C-alpha cells in the first residue's frame, strides 16, 4: 500500500505483516498539518488491512519527529489537531511502535508516548522543550509522561525543557528496547515488531489507561522551587498547576485542561517573544557572503589572559588544535594554568571526565615564538586594548602566518580598519569579538572591516558553528553593535543617577524587569577602571554634560568595583555586596554641582528609559548599516548581555510597543534631555 501522492511527507509501506509509516519532512520532521493528517490516514489504513499485524512509525533524515511545526504557531490551528492525532494512535487496535533516533522532542515525544511501544537507538534523546517556547506540552505530554515515569521526573522534564538520553530511562518501561548505537535501527525495529506479532498475548499497553504515578511529597516545595527557577517565565508554573490538578482527572479531562492552557499560552506575549528568539537565532547565521569557508583545524591565540585562555578553552573543547602565544615563559605558564582551571570546573560539575580533558589539553601547544603560528589557518589576537600593541602583533602575524591564514582581533572597541592597515593583505583581517567567559558565553560578534574578504568572514561564521556559538555579522564602529548599545544603556543609567535615582533602586528596577544583572553591579564586576579607560579613547560628547560623571567619580576615588572591594556597592570579605550610602550622597552632590534637578523615580520609569535607550541606539545601528537585521540586535542582547529571553530583545520590545507609542516616548525624552541624545530617527527601519 502507498499513498496516492508520492510528494507527501508521509509514506506507507509493508514488510511481511508489518505496516510502516515513514515521515520524511526535512529538516526535523515537524508535525505540520499534512504530517498530522497523513499519520492518522496511515494508522486507519493499516488498521483496516487484515494482512497488517503491527504498525511502525519511523522517520527519515536526522531525527524522529522533533515537535509541532513552529512555523504554524502564528496562525489559527488547523485540523486535525495533534491531541486528536495522538489519541487516534493510542486507540489503534493493532500494536503501534515508535522507532526513535536523533532528538524526539515536544509533539514528537507525545506521538511516541501514545504509541504502544517505543524503541530507540542508544544515542537518541527525548524531551519536552515547550517551556523554551513559552508553552507547555499540548498533546498529552503532561498527562502520559507522568503515567510512565512518575510526576516528579515528568515535572523535571517539562519544567526544565532539557533533552534526556534515552539511556536515562533504562530502568523504566518508557522504552521497550534500546538498541546499540551501531545497530541498524530500521531492521532492529522490524524485528521487534515481528516478535510482538508472534506473541500469543496481544494485549496493548496503552499509557493513557494507566494511573498517574504520584511520587510528590510536598507540592508547596515543588511550586516554590519551580517559581524560583523559572525567573519570571509563566509556562513552567502553568505546567506545575496542570500536573497537580491532573492527579484527580482521567486522561480525557486532563488533556482538555492541558489543551486549554496550551492555547492560552500560545497567545501570550512571552511565547511570542520566545518563538521569535528561536527564529532570530537561526536567522543570525544566514548571511549573503559569497565565498566558501576555509576548513580550520589549527588556531593560534595571542594572549593567555582571561579572554585568551577562555577562547583557547572554547577551541580545545570543540576539537581544534590550539597554539597559545605569550610574551615570556611566565606569562605562558599562567595562561596554560588558566586554561586548565577552566576545564577543571567541568570535571567538578561532572560534565567532562579527566580523560576527556587530558585529550583536549594534548591539542594545546604553547610558545613564545610567533613562528609557531606558521601552520595555523586562523589566528586570534586577544591582548589588552591598546592600538599600538595590537599593531605590533598584527605585523608579526603578517610575517609568520601563511598567506591563506585569517587574522582576527578580539578587540571590544578599537578600530579594526586601523589594525588591518599594518598588514600586507587587509582582506584577511576581521574581528572575532568573544564575550567573557569566552568558553561559556554563546555569543560571537564577527566583525566585517572595510576590506575583510567574504571568505575570512564565512570562515569565522563556520568556526562559530563548530564552537556551538551563535554568531552575528556586524560592521566596524566604536564598540561594534553590542558594546556600542551597552555604552548608550550605561549612559542612560548614569543620567538617571544624576537626576536622583539611587544605585540599588536602578539595579533592582532592571532585574525586576528581567535583566540578569543590574547595570551598575555589572560595572563593579567587570571593573570601573576598564570602562573608564575604554571610554577615554574617545572624547565625551560636548552636548552631554553628565556623560558618565558618576562612573568617573568612582574611578577617581579608586573605587574600581569588586576588585577593590568598593565601587557602586561595597563588598565584604566573602564578596557579598551591600549598599554604600556614601555613593548615593557623592553622586547627588556631583549632580547638584553640574546643575541637575533632583526628582523621585519609580521602577517602571527606570526600566522603560533604559530599554528605550537601547532601542534608540539599535535604530542608529540599523541606520548606519552596522547591523543588517533588527533581530540580530536582539540575538546579541539575549546572548551577550543577559536580556530576558521571554522579552525577546530590545528591538522585539520596540515592535511590541508599536510605532506611535515609541515615537511619543522618544519625543518626551527629547524634551527632557535633548535631540542629540535622543535623535530623530526613521522608525520605518523596524515597522
Ligand atoms: C510542540 O511540540 C508543542 C506540542 O507539545 C503541542 C502542539 C499542539 N518546527 O536548530 P537547528 C527548523 S512545540 C519547525 O538549526 P539543530 C529550524 O528552524 C515544539 N521548524 O538544527 C531550522 O530551520 P532553518 C517542540 C523547526 O540540528 C532547522 O529546523 N519542539 C522546528 O541544531 C534546523 O534547526 C521544539 O521546540 C520545529 N519544531 O537542532 C524543538 N525545529 O534551517 C525545537 C527546528 O530554516 N528545535 N526547526 O534555519 C530544536 O530544538 C532544534 O532545532 C533541534 C535540531 C534539536 C531539533
Amino acid at each position: 500500500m502507498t499513498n496516492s501522492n508520492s510528494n507527501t511527507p508521509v509514506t506507507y509501506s509493508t514488510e511481511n505483516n508489518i505496516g510502516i509509516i515513514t515521515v520524511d519532512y526535512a529538516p526535523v520532521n515537524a508535525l505540520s498539518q499534512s504530517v498530522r493528517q497523513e499519520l492518522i490516514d496511515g494508522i486507519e489504513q493499516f488498521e483496516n488491512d487484515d494482512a497488517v499485524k503491527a504498525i511502525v512509525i519511523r522517520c527519515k533524515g536526522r531525527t524522529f519527529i522533533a515537535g509541532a511545526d513552529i512555523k504554524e504557531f502564528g496562525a489559527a490551528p488547523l485540523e486535525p489537531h495533534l491531541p486528536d492525532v495522538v489519541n487516534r494512535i493510542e486507540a489503534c487496535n493493532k500494536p503501534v511502535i515508535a522507532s526513535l533516533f536523533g532528538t524526539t522532542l515536544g509533539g514528537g515525544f507525545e506521538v511516541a508516548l501514545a504509541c504502544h511501544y517505543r524503541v530507540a537507538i542508544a544515542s537518541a534523546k527525548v524531551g519536552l522543550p515547550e517551556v523554551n517556547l513559552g508553552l507547555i506540552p499540548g498533546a498529552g505530554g503532561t498527562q502520559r509522561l507522568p503515567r510512565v515515569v512518575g510526576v516528579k521526573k515528568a515535572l523535571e522534564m517539562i519544567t526544565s525543557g532539557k533533552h534526556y538520553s534515552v539511556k536515562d530511562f533504562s530502568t523504566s518501561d518508557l522504552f521497550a528496547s534500546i538498541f546499540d548505537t551501531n545497530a541498524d535501527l530500521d531492521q532492529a525495529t522490524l524485528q521487534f515488531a515481528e516478535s510482538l506479532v508472534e506473541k500469543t498475548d496481544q494485549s496493548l499497553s496503552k499509557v493513557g489507561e494507566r494511573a498517574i504515578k504520584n511520587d510528590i511529597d510536598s507540592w508547596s516545595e515543588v511550586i516554590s522551587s519551580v517559581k524560583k527557577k523559572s525567573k519570571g517565565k509563566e509556562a513552567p508554573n502553568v505546567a506545575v498547576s496542570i500536573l497537580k490538578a491532573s492527579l484527580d482527572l482521567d486522561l480525557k479531562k486532563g488533556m482538555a485542561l492541558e489543551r486549554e492552557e496550551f492555547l492560552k499560552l500560545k497567545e501570550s506575549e512571552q511565547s511570542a517573544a520566545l518563538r521569535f528568539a528561536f527564529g532570530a537565532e537561526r536567522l543570525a547565521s544566514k548571511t549573503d557572503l559569497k565565498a566558501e569557508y576555509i576548513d580550520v583545524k589549527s588556531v593560534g591565540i595571542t594572549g593567555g589572559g582571561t579572554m585568551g585562555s577562555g577562547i583557547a578553552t572554547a577551541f580545545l573543547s570543540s576539537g581544534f588544535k590550539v597554539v597559545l602565544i605569550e610574551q615570556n615563559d611566565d606569562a605562558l605558564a599562567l595562561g596554560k594554568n588558566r586554561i586548565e582551571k577552566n576545564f577543571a570546573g567541568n570535571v567538578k560539575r561532572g560534565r567532562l571526565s579527566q580523560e576527556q580533558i587530558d585529550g583536549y589539553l594534548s591539542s594545546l601547544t604553547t610558545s613564545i615564538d610567533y613562528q609557531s603560528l606558521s601552520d595555523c589557518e586562523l589566528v586570534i589576537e586577544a591582548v589588552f586594548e591598546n592600538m599600538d600593541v595590537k599593531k605590533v602583533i598584527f605585523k608579526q602575524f603578517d610575517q609568520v602566518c601563511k598567506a591563506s591564514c585569517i587574522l582576527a582581533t578580539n578587540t571590544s572597541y578599537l578600530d579594526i580598519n586601523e589594525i588591518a592597515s599594518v598588514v600586507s593583505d587587509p582582506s584577511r583581517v576581521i574581528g572575532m569579538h568573544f564575550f567573557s567567559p569566552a568558553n561559556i558565553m554563546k555569543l560571537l560578534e564577527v566583525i566585517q572591516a572595510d576590506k575583510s574578504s567574504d571568505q575570512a568572514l564565512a570562515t569565522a561564521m563556520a568556526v562559530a558553528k563548530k564552537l556551538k556559538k551563535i554568531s552575528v555579522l556586524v560592521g566596524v564602529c566604536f564598540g561594534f553593535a553590542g558594546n556600542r548599545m551597552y555604552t548608550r544603556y550605561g549612559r542612560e543609567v548614569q543620567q538617571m543617577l544624576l537626576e536622583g535615582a539611587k544605585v540599588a533602586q536602578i539595579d533592582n528596577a532592571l532585574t525586576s524587569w528581567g535583566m540578569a544583572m543590574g547595570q551598575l553591579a555589572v560595572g563593579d564586576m567587570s571593573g570601573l577602571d576598564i570602562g573608564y579607560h575604554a571610554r577615554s579613547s574617545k572624547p565625551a560628547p560636548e552636548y552631554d554634560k553628565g556623560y558618565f560623571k558618576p562612573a568617573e567619580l568612582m574611578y577617581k576615588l579608586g573605587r574600581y568595583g569588586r576588585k577593590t572591594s568598593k565601587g557602586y556597592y561595597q563588598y565584604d570579605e566573602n564578596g557579598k555586596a551591600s549598599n554604600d550610602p556614601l555613593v548615593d550622597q557623592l553622586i547627588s552632590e556631583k549632580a547638584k554641582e553640574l546643575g541637575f534637578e533632583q526628582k523621585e523615580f519609580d521602577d517602571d520609569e527606570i526600566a522603560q528609559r533604559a530599554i528605550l535607550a537601547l532601542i534608540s541606539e539599535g535604530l542608529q545601528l540599523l541606520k548606519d548599516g552596522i547591523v543588517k537585521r533588527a533581530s540580530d540586535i536582539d540575538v546579541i542582547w539575549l546572548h551577550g548581555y543577559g536580556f530576558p529571553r521571554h522579552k525577546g530583545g530590545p528591538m522585539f520590545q520596540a515592535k511590541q510597543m508599536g510605532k506611535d507609542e515609541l515615537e511619543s516616548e522618544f519625543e518626551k525624552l527629547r524634551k527632557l534631555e535633548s535631540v542629540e541624545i535622543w535623535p530623530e530617527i526613521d522608525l520605518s527601519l523596524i515597522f
Side-chain angles (χ1 to χ4, degrees):
M1 182 182 65
T2 52
N3 8 8
S4 49
N5 178 358
S6 60
N7 288 328
T8 56
V10 182
T11 48
Y12 315 128
S13 57
T14 49
E15 201 150 316
N16 299 328
N17 47 10
I18 311 296
I20 304 168
I21 299 175
T22 305
V23 182
D24 184 6
Y25 186 53
V28 296
N29 294 313
L31 290 154
S32 65
Q33 189 277 337
S34 53
V35 173
R36 296 196 300 275
Q37 184 61 59
E38 290 172 27
L39 277 174
I40 289 198
D41 292 350
I43 291 288
E44 288 181 351
Q45 288 188 42
F46 284 135
E47 203 174 36
N48 293 328
D49 183 342
D50 288 341
V52 167
K53 303 292 178 210
I55 303 164
V56 166
I57 301 182
R58 68 181 189 191
C59 289
K60 283 228 180 323
R62 64 214 264 190
T63 182
F64 189 79
I65 301 164
D69 192 340
I70 296 171
K71 285 187 242 85
E72 286 185 0
F73 282 170
L78 296 170
E79 286 185 345
H81 304 309
L82 195 56
D84 300 329
V85 178
V86 297
N87 287 340
R88 183 64 190 86
I89 293 172
E90 190 169 65
C92 181
N93 60 20
K94 294 177 182 172
V96 185
I97 303 124
S99 175
L100 274 55
F101 67 103
T103 44
T104 299
L105 302 174
F109 191 30
E110 290 171 306
V111 165
L113 283 164
C115 292
H116 309 120
Y117 299 92
R118 289 153 294 282
V119 297
I121 199 94
S123 56
K125 293 197 165 149
V126 293
L128 290 171
E130 284 86 347
V131 286
N132 299 330
L133 301 171
L135 301 168
I136 53 164
T142 67
Q143 303 300 308
R144 288 194 176 89
L145 189 58
R147 285 174 158 84
V148 187
V149 299
V151 179
K152 203 185 267 177
K153 187 74 185 169
L155 264 176
E156 177 199 310
M157 293 178 75
I158 294 169
T159 57
S160 73
K162 285 187 184 152
H163 302 179
Y164 292 74
S165 164
V166 293
K167 288 187 280 186
D168 294 351
F169 301 97
S170 50
T171 55
S172 80
D173 68 344
L174 185 56
F175 295 98
S177 202
I178 297 176
F179 307 121
D180 188 75
T181 310
N182 301 321
D184 178 333
L185 178 64
D186 286 349
Q187 278 312 314
T189 307
L190 281 175
Q191 274 169 17
F192 175 85
E194 278 159 14
S195 72
L196 287 179
V197 173
E198 282 160 16
K199 275 191 187 163
T200 42
D201 169 20
Q202 290 252 358
S203 64
L204 295 176
S205 158
K206 298 189 178 180
V207 169
E209 288 176 357
R210 300 185 195 178
I212 292 185
K213 291 186 193 168
N214 182 11
D215 48 5
I216 297 289
D217 299 325
S218 159
W219 276 99
S220 60
E221 270 174 34
V222 171
I223 291 166
S224 68
S225 140
V226 170
K227 189 165 184 207
K228 199 163 155 220
K229 282 194 206 143
S230 56
K231 293 184 186 150
K233 288 195 223 95
E234 293 161 22
N237 300 296
V238 174
V240 174
S241 62
I242 288 185
L243 263 100
K244 186 166 180 281
S246 301
L247 297 176
D248 305 322
L249 303 176
D250 63 15
L251 180 83
K252 196 170 170 211
K253 287 194 178 124
M255 279 186 74
L257 175 66
E258 175 195 76
R259 178 80 179 159
E260 193 186 324
E261 294 299 326
F262 172 85
L263 291 175
K264 265 196 239 160
L265 285 171
K266 192 161 84 77
E267 298 309 315
S268 69
E269 258 189 44
Q270 287 200 356
S271 179
L274 289 162
R275 275 150 37 204
F276 161 81
F278 179 86
E281 283 162 355
R282 279 147 188 86
L283 192 60
S285 63
K286 300 197 166 76
T287 63
D288 50 10
L289 296 168
K290 290 174 195 66
E292 281 295 305
Y293 62 85
I294 296 172
D295 189 14
V296 173
K297 299 218 160 20
S298 180
V299 183
I301 297 166
T302 306
T306 308
M307 265 334 270
S309 59
I311 296 171
T313 312
F315 275 98
L316 288 168
S317 40
S318 295
F320 290 86
K321 284 189 187 146
V322 171
V323 182
L324 182 72
I325 299 280
E326 258 294 358
Q327 277 175 310
N328 54 51
D329 289 333
D330 287 349
L332 258 190
L334 282 173
K336 191 168 180 216
N337 195 264
R338 286 191 187 100
I339 296 170
E340 285 165 354
K341 264 198 181 151
N342 289 341
F343 277 123
N346 285 302
V347 183
K348 255 192 217 154
R349 279 175 232 116
R351 286 197 198 128
L352 290 174
S353 67
Q354 191 55 48
E355 213 180 350
Q356 282 171 305
I357 291 177
D358 293 344
Y360 293 142
L361 287 171
S362 69
S363 300
L364 173 68
T365 311
T366 58
S367 174
I368 52 169
D369 181 1
Y370 274 72
Q371 206 61 47
S372 313
L373 300 175
S374 58
D375 284 338
C376 295
E377 290 90 17
L378 166 69
V379 290
I380 303 172
E381 164 278 308
V383 303
F384 54 95
E385 291 289 73
N386 179 301
M387 180 58 88
D388 293 338
V389 176
K390 290 188 193 271
K391 281 183 178 170
V392 170
I393 290 171
F394 271 76
K395 279 184 193 157
Q396 301 252 43
F397 284 167
D398 203 28
Q399 279 168 20
V400 301
C401 295
K402 56 185 174 191
S404 58
C405 178
I406 290 153
L407 317 179
T409 169
N410 178 52
T411 181
S412 313
Y413 288 96
L414 299 178
D415 182 357
I416 300 178
N417 290 317
E418 194 178 333
I419 297 174
S421 70
V422 302
V423 304
S424 46
D425 175 10
S427 76
R428 54 188 183 135
V429 176
I430 56 167
M432 285 178 82
H433 181 216
F434 290 83
F435 286 68
S436 187
N439 51 318
I440 292 172
M441 296 288 281
K442 284 198 88 132
L443 180 64
L444 176 72
E445 280 182 321
V446 173
I447 300 146
Q448 177 168 25
D450 288 353
K451 294 190 179 150
S452 304
S453 71
D454 277 14
Q455 186 174 53
L457 296 163
T459 302
M461 301 291 280
V463 161
K465 203 164 188 187
K466 278 201 192 155
L467 294 174
K468 297 203 172 63
K469 298 221 180 274
I470 295 182
S471 55
V472 181
L473 188 61
V474 304
V476 173
C477 63
F478 186 76
F480 315 113
N483 280 347
R484 175 166 148 183
M485 285 176 74
Y486 193 75
T487 305
R488 178 67 187 86
Y489 173 67
R491 184 261 162 222
E492 205 55 35
V493 164
Q494 296 277 312
Q495 173 85 15
M496 289 190 276
L497 281 174
L498 291 168
E499 288 177 18
K502 304 292 174 235
V503 168
Q505 185 192 12
I506 290 188
D507 278 357
N508 288 339
L510 293 173
T511 50
S512 306
W513 190 81
M515 299 301 288
M517 275 181 84
Q519 201 275 340
L520 297 162
V522 172
D524 273 4
M525 196 175 72
S526 52
L528 301 179
D529 53 330
I530 309 272
Y532 179 84
H533 290 302
R535 280 188 303 277
S536 62
S537 62
K538 203 175 167 237
E542 271 172 27
Y543 52 79
D544 195 353
K545 67 177 175 181
Y547 190 74
F548 284 93
K549 290 290 187 220
E552 189 182 305
L553 191 65
M554 294 299 111
Y555 174 78
K556 294 203 166 143
L557 290 168
R559 299 184 68 120
Y560 297 166
R562 282 188 174 271
K563 62 173 98 165
T564 57
S565 301
K566 280 185 173 154
Y568 291 108
Y569 298 90
Q570 53 193 357
Y571 300 88
D572 68 15
E573 59 278 12
N574 301 317
K576 193 171 179 304
S578 64
N579 212 17
D580 187 346
L582 177 69
V583 173
D584 286 325
Q585 185 198 320
L586 291 172
I587 293 173
S588 144
E589 284 165 11
K590 186 76 188 168
K592 282 176 199 145
E593 181 192 316
L594 291 166
F596 280 92
E597 265 179 45
Q598 301 294 286
K599 65 168 210 154
E600 293 278 322
F601 275 85
D602 73 44
D603 288 4
D604 287 347
E605 183 183 357
I606 292 172
Q608 163 104 332
R609 221 164 118 179
I611 303 307
L612 282 166
L614 282 178
I615 296 171
S616 171
E617 199 64 35
L619 286 161
Q620 303 286 331
L621 284 170
L622 287 168
K623 187 185 100 206
D624 297 348
I626 301 295
V627 180
K628 297 219 164 52
R629 289 179 286 243
S631 61
D632 288 352
I633 294 176
D634 291 321
V635 171
I636 289 173
W637 272 78
L638 293 179
H639 291 284
Y641 299 89
F643 199 94
R645 193 175 170 82
H646 59 278
K647 295 211 169 167
M651 307 318 281
F652 180 84
Q653 283 294 311
K655 288 198 194 149
Q656 295 299 103
M657 283 174 89
K659 198 173 178 185
D660 293 344
E661 190 187 337
L662 195 56
E663 188 47 53
S664 120
E665 291 299 325
F666 280 157
E667 194 48 40
K668 274 190 229 157
L669 288 159
R670 263 173 223 132
K671 289 200 179 106
L672 179 76
E673 300 193 53
S674 69
V675 70
E676 284 90 355
I677 290 165
W678 296 95
E680 307 262 3
I681 191 136
D682 180 5
L683 294 183
S684 64
L685 282 164
I686 53 165
F687 289 103

